Amino acid sequence: MRTFVAGQEAHGDFEFAELALGIDVDLFRGPLESETDGERAAREDAARDILADLRAEAEAGDDVAGWDALYADALTRTVPFLRSARAFRAGTGEAA
């Protein structure tokens, strides 16, 4: 079974959410693989600009933009499990 959103085929749950909501999860959450400091700074700058635009649209009365802003803002406060697990080094935790 295929899933289409606005005429585009979604390949997987994340792509469906991105097409349906208009939110790029990796932009706000960060990619699962590593990124350089420059890439991270550019991604975070773009995310801040987009979030500011969504908030402005929400204040102007766009309810969908308001919900998108809440979702995008929540994504900025998450750390993908795989990335956090890779950063963990054995023997450096509190129990060590």
Side-chain angles (χ1 to χ4, degrees), residues 31 34-46 48:
S34 62
E35 59 186 344
T36 66
D37 290 338
E39 291 170 335
R40 181 175 26 259
R43 178 183 54 77
E44 289 174 349
D45 283 345
R48 273 192 294 276

Side-chain angles (χ1 to χ4, degrees), residues 9 17-18 21 27 30 45 48-49 53 57 63 75 79 86 96:
E9 185 175 359
E18 181 179 336
L21 299 173
L27 176 67
D45 283 345
R48 273 192 294 276
D49 290 344
D53 290 344
E57 291 173 18
D63 290 338
L75 286 172
V79 177
R86 275 189 226 122

Side-chain angles (χ1 to χ4, degrees), residues 3-6 8-11 14-23:
T3 304
F4 288 87
V5 177
Q8 294 185 347
E9 185 175 359
H11 300 281
F14 282 115
E15 191 170 337
F16 177 80
E18 181 179 336
L19 289 171
L21 299 173
I23 298 291

